[in-house]
mmCIF file of all heavy atoms in Angstrom:
data_model
loop_
_atom_site.group_PDB
_atom_site.id
_atom_site.type_symbol
_atom_site.label_atom_id
_atom_site.label_comp_id
_atom_site.label_asym_id
_atom_site.label_seq_id
_atom_site.Cartn_x
_atom_site.Cartn_y
_atom_site.Cartn_z
ATOM 1 N N LYS A 1 -8.564 8.861 -1.393
ATOM 2 C CA LYS A 1 -7.326 8.050 -1.177
ATOM 3 C C LYS A 1 -6.529 8.747 -0.173
ATOM 4 O O LYS A 1 -6.350 10.017 -0.171
ATOM 5 C CB LYS A 1 -6.573 7.862 -2.433
ATOM 6 C CG LYS A 1 -7.455 7.213 -3.632
ATOM 7 C CD LYS A 1 -6.557 7.143 -4.815
ATOM 8 C CE LYS A 1 -7.238 6.422 -6.054
ATOM 9 N NZ LYS A 1 -6.434 6.319 -7.167
ATOM 10 N N VAL A 2 -5.814 8.009 0.594
ATOM 11 C CA VAL A 2 -4.768 8.537 1.549
ATOM 12 C C VAL A 2 -3.559 7.615 1.753
ATOM 13 O O VAL A 2 -3.728 6.411 1.494
ATOM 14 C CB VAL A 2 -5.328 8.926 2.994
ATOM 15 C CG1 VAL A 2 -6.287 9.994 2.916
ATOM 16 C CG2 VAL A 2 -5.909 7.648 3.592
ATOM 17 N N ARG A 3 -2.533 8.179 2.170
ATOM 18 C CA ARG A 3 -1.261 7.304 2.524
ATOM 19 C C ARG A 3 -1.018 7.733 3.974
ATOM 20 O O ARG A 3 -1.052 8.884 4.423
ATOM 21 C CB ARG A 3 -0.067 7.791 1.622
ATOM 22 C CG ARG A 3 -0.198 7.365 0.190
ATOM 23 C CD ARG A 3 0.941 7.813 -0.602
ATOM 24 N NE ARG A 3 0.697 7.688 -1.990
ATOM 25 C CZ ARG A 3 1.470 6.940 -2.786
ATOM 26 N NH1 ARG A 3 2.367 6.263 -2.387
ATOM 27 N NH2 ARG A 3 1.161 6.925 -4.139
ATOM 28 N N VAL A 4 -0.815 6.641 4.739
ATOM 29 C CA VAL A 4 -0.716 6.742 6.166
ATOM 30 C C VAL A 4 0.515 6.042 6.721
ATOM 31 O O VAL A 4 0.872 5.001 6.144
ATOM 32 C CB VAL A 4 -2.027 6.142 6.893
ATOM 33 C CG1 VAL A 4 -1.965 6.018 8.436
ATOM 34 C CG2 VAL A 4 -3.197 6.806 6.421
ATOM 35 N N LYS A 5 1.165 6.601 7.583
ATOM 36 C CA LYS A 5 2.211 5.914 8.375
ATOM 37 C C LYS A 5 1.724 5.807 9.837
ATOM 38 O O LYS A 5 1.197 6.720 10.442
ATOM 39 C CB LYS A 5 3.569 6.539 8.089
ATOM 40 C CG LYS A 5 3.868 7.827 8.872
ATOM 41 C CD LYS A 5 5.250 8.320 8.679
ATOM 42 C CE LYS A 5 5.454 9.445 9.519
ATOM 43 N NZ LYS A 5 6.909 9.986 9.388
ATOM 44 N N ALA A 6 2.301 4.763 10.490
ATOM 45 C CA ALA A 6 1.992 4.544 11.960
ATOM 46 C C ALA A 6 2.906 3.426 12.369
ATOM 47 O O ALA A 6 3.851 2.867 11.665
ATOM 48 C CB ALA A 6 0.510 4.003 12.022
ATOM 49 N N LEU A 7 2.687 3.158 13.663
ATOM 50 C CA LEU A 7 3.491 1.973 14.306
ATOM 51 C C LEU A 7 2.375 0.938 14.495
ATOM 52 O O LEU A 7 1.280 1.130 14.724
ATOM 53 C CB LEU A 7 4.062 2.248 15.536
ATOM 54 C CG LEU A 7 5.007 3.475 15.687
ATOM 55 C CD1 LEU A 7 5.532 3.687 17.051
ATOM 56 C CD2 LEU A 7 6.236 3.094 14.758
ATOM 57 N N ASP A 8 2.805 -0.391 14.297
ATOM 58 C CA ASP A 8 1.900 -1.528 14.670
ATOM 59 C C ASP A 8 2.096 -1.881 16.171
ATOM 60 O O ASP A 8 2.770 -1.181 16.804
ATOM 61 C CB ASP A 8 2.177 -2.710 13.750
ATOM 62 C CG ASP A 8 3.615 -3.383 13.977
ATOM 63 O OD1 ASP A 8 4.303 -3.123 14.983
ATOM 64 O OD2 ASP A 8 3.973 -4.142 13.109
ATOM 65 N N ALA A 9 1.351 -2.833 16.588
ATOM 66 C CA ALA A 9 1.300 -3.249 18.015
ATOM 67 C C ALA A 9 2.599 -3.719 18.579
ATOM 68 O O ALA A 9 2.896 -3.817 19.741
ATOM 69 C CB ALA A 9 0.299 -4.414 18.208
ATOM 70 N N SER A 10 3.640 -4.057 17.583
ATOM 71 C CA SER A 10 4.941 -4.376 17.969
ATOM 72 C C SER A 10 5.961 -3.221 17.994
ATOM 73 O O SER A 10 7.118 -3.464 18.328
ATOM 74 C CB SER A 10 5.467 -5.546 17.008
ATOM 75 O OG SER A 10 4.726 -6.735 17.168
ATOM 76 N N GLY A 11 5.439 -2.083 17.629
ATOM 77 C CA GLY A 11 6.213 -0.941 17.546
ATOM 78 C C GLY A 11 6.968 -0.714 16.287
ATOM 79 O O GLY A 11 7.806 0.173 16.252
ATOM 80 N N ARG A 12 6.734 -1.550 15.288
ATOM 81 C CA ARG A 12 7.323 -1.425 13.888
ATOM 82 C C ARG A 12 6.579 -0.373 13.013
ATOM 83 O O ARG A 12 5.335 -0.432 13.064
ATOM 84 C CB ARG A 12 7.341 -2.782 13.228
ATOM 85 C CG ARG A 12 8.303 -3.806 13.837
ATOM 86 C CD ARG A 12 8.372 -5.032 12.990
ATOM 87 N NE ARG A 12 7.119 -5.678 12.958
ATOM 88 C CZ ARG A 12 6.661 -6.714 13.664
ATOM 89 N NH1 ARG A 12 7.556 -7.237 14.600
ATOM 90 N NH2 ARG A 12 5.542 -7.234 13.557
ATOM 91 N N GLU A 13 7.301 0.368 12.358
ATOM 92 C CA GLU A 13 6.633 1.355 11.427
ATOM 93 C C GLU A 13 5.968 0.646 10.188
ATOM 94 O O GLU A 13 6.550 -0.339 9.660
ATOM 95 C CB GLU A 13 7.705 2.309 10.887
ATOM 96 C CG GLU A 13 6.925 3.414 9.952
ATOM 97 C CD GLU A 13 7.953 4.422 9.418
ATOM 98 O OE1 GLU A 13 8.381 5.235 10.244
ATOM 99 O OE2 GLU A 13 8.132 4.448 8.186
ATOM 100 N N VAL A 14 4.725 1.072 9.925
ATOM 101 C CA VAL A 14 3.953 0.417 8.842
ATOM 102 C C VAL A 14 3.451 1.719 8.056
ATOM 103 O O VAL A 14 3.397 2.751 8.479
ATOM 104 C CB VAL A 14 2.718 -0.329 9.214
ATOM 105 C CG1 VAL A 14 3.178 -1.641 10.005
ATOM 106 C CG2 VAL A 14 1.833 0.429 10.241
ATOM 107 N N ARG A 15 3.462 1.341 6.645
ATOM 108 C CA ARG A 15 2.905 2.423 5.701
ATOM 109 C C ARG A 15 1.905 1.727 4.913
ATOM 110 O O ARG A 15 2.027 0.623 4.529
ATOM 111 C CB ARG A 15 4.054 3.007 4.912
ATOM 112 C CG ARG A 15 5.069 3.843 5.641
ATOM 113 C CD ARG A 15 6.046 4.505 4.735
ATOM 114 N NE ARG A 15 6.913 5.418 5.443
ATOM 115 C CZ ARG A 15 6.815 6.781 5.455
ATOM 116 N NH1 ARG A 15 5.916 7.290 4.929
ATOM 117 N NH2 ARG A 15 7.618 7.448 6.225
ATOM 118 N N LEU A 16 0.813 2.606 4.631
ATOM 119 C CA LEU A 16 -0.172 1.880 3.865
ATOM 120 C C LEU A 16 -0.906 2.961 2.990
ATOM 121 O O LEU A 16 -0.928 4.150 3.304
ATOM 122 C CB LEU A 16 -1.278 1.167 4.737
ATOM 123 C CG LEU A 16 -1.967 1.892 5.807
ATOM 124 C CD1 LEU A 16 -3.492 1.800 5.666
ATOM 125 C CD2 LEU A 16 -1.519 1.379 7.189
ATOM 126 N N LYS A 17 -1.420 2.371 1.827
ATOM 127 C CA LYS A 17 -2.227 3.204 0.915
ATOM 128 C C LYS A 17 -3.637 2.741 1.029
ATOM 129 O O LYS A 17 -3.766 1.526 0.963
ATOM 130 C CB LYS A 17 -1.615 3.056 -0.493
ATOM 131 C CG LYS A 17 -0.333 3.618 -0.718
ATOM 132 C CD LYS A 17 0.223 3.335 -2.059
ATOM 133 C CE LYS A 17 -0.565 3.444 -3.301
ATOM 134 N NZ LYS A 17 0.169 3.202 -4.529
ATOM 135 N N ALA A 18 -4.514 3.639 1.165
ATOM 136 C CA ALA A 18 -5.986 3.281 1.305
ATOM 137 C C ALA A 18 -6.839 4.084 0.356
ATOM 138 O O ALA A 18 -6.524 5.217 0.111
ATOM 139 C CB ALA A 18 -6.466 3.427 2.723
ATOM 140 N N GLU A 19 -7.850 3.432 -0.107
ATOM 141 C CA GLU A 19 -8.832 4.200 -0.849
ATOM 142 C C GLU A 19 -10.223 3.775 -0.479
ATOM 143 O O GLU A 19 -10.447 2.786 0.120
ATOM 144 C CB GLU A 19 -8.640 4.036 -2.358
ATOM 145 C CG GLU A 19 -8.681 2.513 -2.832
ATOM 146 C CD GLU A 19 -8.391 2.505 -4.312
ATOM 147 O OE1 GLU A 19 -7.049 2.523 -4.736
ATOM 148 O OE2 GLU A 19 -9.249 2.569 -5.139
ATOM 149 N N GLY A 20 -11.251 4.540 -0.854
ATOM 150 C CA GLY A 20 -12.625 4.256 -0.627
ATOM 151 C C GLY A 20 -12.897 4.188 0.798
ATOM 152 O O GLY A 20 -12.496 5.227 1.513
ATOM 153 N N PHE A 21 -13.769 3.332 1.298
ATOM 154 C CA PHE A 21 -14.259 3.274 2.682
ATOM 155 C C PHE A 21 -13.055 3.232 3.690
ATOM 156 O O PHE A 21 -13.201 3.958 4.620
ATOM 157 C CB PHE A 21 -15.186 2.089 2.959
ATOM 158 C CG PHE A 21 -15.920 2.204 4.136
ATOM 159 C CD1 PHE A 21 -16.872 3.187 4.539
ATOM 160 C CD2 PHE A 21 -15.653 1.154 5.119
ATOM 161 C CE1 PHE A 21 -17.459 3.241 5.754
ATOM 162 C CE2 PHE A 21 -16.353 1.182 6.406
ATOM 163 C CZ PHE A 21 -17.150 2.369 6.653
ATOM 164 N N LEU A 22 -12.141 2.504 3.418
ATOM 165 C CA LEU A 22 -10.934 2.371 4.305
ATOM 166 C C LEU A 22 -10.321 3.726 4.431
ATOM 167 O O LEU A 22 -9.914 4.228 5.614
ATOM 168 C CB LEU A 22 -9.917 1.433 3.840
ATOM 169 C CG LEU A 22 -8.662 1.216 4.816
ATOM 170 C CD1 LEU A 22 -8.923 0.946 6.143
ATOM 171 C CD2 LEU A 22 -7.730 0.144 4.143
ATOM 172 N N ALA A 23 -10.110 4.443 3.373
ATOM 173 C CA ALA A 23 -9.563 5.807 3.409
ATOM 174 C C ALA A 23 -10.363 6.804 4.151
ATOM 175 O O ALA A 23 -9.843 7.568 5.178
ATOM 176 C CB ALA A 23 -9.397 6.425 1.964
ATOM 177 N N ARG A 24 -11.685 6.612 4.217
ATOM 178 C CA ARG A 24 -12.609 7.482 4.880
ATOM 179 C C ARG A 24 -12.506 7.121 6.417
ATOM 180 O O ARG A 24 -12.398 8.138 7.321
ATOM 181 C CB ARG A 24 -14.079 7.236 4.431
ATOM 182 C CG ARG A 24 -15.177 7.989 5.287
ATOM 183 C CD ARG A 24 -16.514 7.865 4.497
ATOM 184 N NE ARG A 24 -16.462 8.617 3.194
ATOM 185 C CZ ARG A 24 -16.529 9.864 3.031
ATOM 186 N NH1 ARG A 24 -16.678 10.713 4.130
ATOM 187 N NH2 ARG A 24 -16.532 10.445 1.941
ATOM 188 N N VAL A 25 -12.397 5.796 6.774
ATOM 189 C CA VAL A 25 -12.401 5.413 8.091
ATOM 190 C C VAL A 25 -11.035 5.827 8.681
ATOM 191 O O VAL A 25 -11.022 6.489 9.903
ATOM 192 C CB VAL A 25 -12.490 3.848 8.276
ATOM 193 C CG1 VAL A 25 -12.046 3.391 9.559
ATOM 194 C CG2 VAL A 25 -13.962 3.374 7.845
ATOM 195 N N LEU A 26 -9.888 5.760 7.996
ATOM 196 C CA LEU A 26 -8.670 6.288 8.499
ATOM 197 C C LEU A 26 -8.637 7.815 8.763
ATOM 198 O O LEU A 26 -8.117 8.259 9.842
ATOM 199 C CB LEU A 26 -7.519 5.898 7.578
ATOM 200 C CG LEU A 26 -7.142 4.448 7.496
ATOM 201 C CD1 LEU A 26 -6.323 4.103 6.336
ATOM 202 C CD2 LEU A 26 -6.565 3.906 8.713
ATOM 203 N N GLN A 27 -9.268 8.544 7.887
ATOM 204 C CA GLN A 27 -9.393 10.058 8.002
ATOM 205 C C GLN A 27 -10.181 10.333 9.303
ATOM 206 O O GLN A 27 -9.878 11.172 10.011
ATOM 207 C CB GLN A 27 -9.993 10.676 6.821
ATOM 208 C CG GLN A 27 -8.884 10.683 5.664
ATOM 209 C CD GLN A 27 -9.603 11.082 4.381
ATOM 210 O OE1 GLN A 27 -9.674 12.279 4.178
ATOM 211 N NE2 GLN A 27 -10.102 10.166 3.566
ATOM 212 N N HIS A 28 -11.233 9.576 9.475
ATOM 213 C CA HIS A 28 -12.216 9.733 10.561
ATOM 214 C C HIS A 28 -11.467 9.540 11.979
ATOM 215 O O HIS A 28 -11.580 10.342 12.798
ATOM 216 C CB HIS A 28 -13.427 8.958 10.489
ATOM 217 C CG HIS A 28 -14.474 8.918 11.559
ATOM 218 N ND1 HIS A 28 -15.623 9.365 11.341
ATOM 219 C CD2 HIS A 28 -14.349 8.507 12.824
ATOM 220 C CE1 HIS A 28 -16.363 9.261 12.409
ATOM 221 N NE2 HIS A 28 -15.566 8.707 13.415
ATOM 222 N N GLU A 29 -10.687 8.422 12.151
ATOM 223 C CA GLU A 29 -10.084 8.009 13.165
ATOM 224 C C GLU A 29 -8.859 8.939 13.579
ATOM 225 O O GLU A 29 -8.655 9.259 14.766
ATOM 226 C CB GLU A 29 -9.638 6.579 13.127
ATOM 227 C CG GLU A 29 -10.822 5.612 13.181
ATOM 228 C CD GLU A 29 -11.880 5.796 14.215
ATOM 229 O OE1 GLU A 29 -11.495 6.227 15.398
ATOM 230 O OE2 GLU A 29 -13.041 5.689 13.884
ATOM 231 N N ILE A 30 -8.184 9.266 12.495
ATOM 232 C CA ILE A 30 -7.048 10.235 12.672
ATOM 233 C C ILE A 30 -7.441 11.570 13.193
ATOM 234 O O ILE A 30 -6.902 12.298 14.038
ATOM 235 C CB ILE A 30 -6.000 10.227 11.510
ATOM 236 C CG1 ILE A 30 -5.411 8.912 11.368
ATOM 237 C CG2 ILE A 30 -5.020 11.317 11.648
ATOM 238 C CD1 ILE A 30 -4.688 8.710 10.027
ATOM 239 N N ASP A 31 -8.612 12.052 12.614
ATOM 240 C CA ASP A 31 -9.377 13.213 13.136
ATOM 241 C C ASP A 31 -9.552 13.124 14.700
ATOM 242 O O ASP A 31 -9.309 14.075 15.364
ATOM 243 C CB ASP A 31 -10.657 13.421 12.474
ATOM 244 C CG ASP A 31 -10.516 14.230 11.177
ATOM 245 O OD1 ASP A 31 -9.346 14.551 10.726
ATOM 246 O OD2 ASP A 31 -11.493 14.451 10.480
ATOM 247 N N HIS A 32 -10.043 11.945 15.197
ATOM 248 C CA HIS A 32 -10.217 11.808 16.587
ATOM 249 C C HIS A 32 -8.950 11.965 17.415
ATOM 250 O O HIS A 32 -9.026 12.697 18.385
ATOM 251 C CB HIS A 32 -10.782 10.444 17.017
ATOM 252 C CG HIS A 32 -12.253 10.124 16.810
ATOM 253 N ND1 HIS A 32 -13.088 10.991 17.475
ATOM 254 C CD2 HIS A 32 -13.055 9.339 16.141
ATOM 255 C CE1 HIS A 32 -14.305 10.617 17.244
ATOM 256 N NE2 HIS A 32 -14.275 9.625 16.410
ATOM 257 N N THR A 33 -7.859 11.591 16.905
ATOM 258 C CA THR A 33 -6.688 11.760 17.613
ATOM 259 C C THR A 33 -6.215 13.241 17.681
ATOM 260 O O THR A 33 -5.436 13.765 18.554
ATOM 261 C CB THR A 33 -5.305 10.960 17.011
ATOM 262 O OG1 THR A 33 -5.059 11.341 15.816
ATOM 263 C CG2 THR A 33 -5.713 9.430 16.993
ATOM 264 N N ASN A 34 -6.764 14.067 16.778
ATOM 265 C CA ASN A 34 -6.542 15.472 16.755
ATOM 266 C C ASN A 34 -7.628 16.359 17.276
ATOM 267 O O ASN A 34 -7.755 17.520 17.097
ATOM 268 C CB ASN A 34 -6.259 16.019 15.321
ATOM 269 C CG ASN A 34 -4.937 15.406 14.794
ATOM 270 O OD1 ASN A 34 -3.976 15.494 15.374
ATOM 271 N ND2 ASN A 34 -4.986 14.791 13.608
ATOM 272 N N GLY A 35 -8.610 15.631 17.988
ATOM 273 C CA GLY A 35 -9.719 16.375 18.625
ATOM 274 C C GLY A 35 -10.737 16.957 17.734
ATOM 275 O O GLY A 35 -11.549 17.825 17.995
ATOM 276 N N ILE A 36 -10.959 16.231 16.581
ATOM 277 C CA ILE A 36 -11.934 16.566 15.607
ATOM 278 C C ILE A 36 -12.814 15.481 15.431
ATOM 279 O O ILE A 36 -12.565 14.335 15.451
ATOM 280 C CB ILE A 36 -11.245 16.799 14.194
ATOM 281 C CG1 ILE A 36 -10.249 17.978 14.390
ATOM 282 C CG2 ILE A 36 -12.265 17.140 13.041
ATOM 283 C CD1 ILE A 36 -9.243 18.120 13.077
ATOM 284 N N VAL A 37 -14.208 15.823 15.407
ATOM 285 C CA VAL A 37 -15.406 14.946 15.259
ATOM 286 C C VAL A 37 -15.914 15.115 13.912
ATOM 287 O O VAL A 37 -15.983 16.232 13.434
ATOM 288 C CB VAL A 37 -16.438 15.106 16.367
ATOM 289 C CG1 VAL A 37 -17.515 14.152 16.286
ATOM 290 C CG2 VAL A 37 -15.779 15.015 17.848
ATOM 291 N N PHE A 38 -16.503 14.097 13.311
ATOM 292 C CA PHE A 38 -16.969 14.125 11.857
ATOM 293 C C PHE A 38 -17.870 15.313 11.632
ATOM 294 O O PHE A 38 -17.834 15.843 10.517
ATOM 295 C CB PHE A 38 -17.483 12.819 11.471
ATOM 296 C CG PHE A 38 -18.874 12.483 11.839
ATOM 297 C CD1 PHE A 38 -19.948 12.883 11.077
ATOM 298 C CD2 PHE A 38 -19.252 11.894 12.985
ATOM 299 C CE1 PHE A 38 -21.300 12.713 11.475
ATOM 300 C CE2 PHE A 38 -20.532 11.523 13.356
ATOM 301 C CZ PHE A 38 -21.522 12.059 12.610
ATOM 302 N N ILE A 39 -18.796 15.620 12.629
ATOM 303 C CA ILE A 39 -19.731 16.803 12.342
ATOM 304 C C ILE A 39 -18.951 18.043 12.141
ATOM 305 O O ILE A 39 -19.516 19.000 11.536
ATOM 306 C CB ILE A 39 -20.660 16.866 13.536
ATOM 307 C CG1 ILE A 39 -20.010 17.120 14.829
ATOM 308 C CG2 ILE A 39 -21.597 15.627 13.577
ATOM 309 C CD1 ILE A 39 -20.977 17.405 16.071
ATOM 310 N N ASP A 40 -17.797 18.223 12.610
ATOM 311 C CA ASP A 40 -16.988 19.478 12.435
ATOM 312 C C ASP A 40 -16.724 19.730 10.868
ATOM 313 O O ASP A 40 -16.453 20.786 10.503
ATOM 314 C CB ASP A 40 -15.665 19.395 13.116
ATOM 315 C CG ASP A 40 -15.808 19.164 14.560
ATOM 316 O OD1 ASP A 40 -17.003 19.625 15.080
ATOM 317 O OD2 ASP A 40 -14.964 18.772 15.291
#
């Protein structure tokens, strides 16, 4: 499980709680923004 904050395409802040596969996907993609690839 993770809690994430971001901006949407209109520039408004959004917050979401995710679990399961969505939580995994969010961690994977946020890693990309930090220069981390899943194999690391």
Side-chain angles (χ1 to χ4, degrees):
K1 299 178 184 179
V2 291
R3 293 176 191 241
V4 173
K5 74 174 183 176
L7 300 176
D8 67 12
S10 299
R12 293 184 296 260
E13 183 176 290
V14 293
R15 292 183 175 261
L16 53 126
K17 290 169 52 174
E19 61 182 86
F21 187 67
L22 177 58
R24 178 169 295 280
V25 168
L26 289 169
Q27 289 170 83
H28 179 113
E29 296 308 322
I30 292 170
D31 273 357
H32 271 306
T33 69
N34 291 312
I36 300 168
V37 182
F38 81 89
I39 59 174
D40 300 337

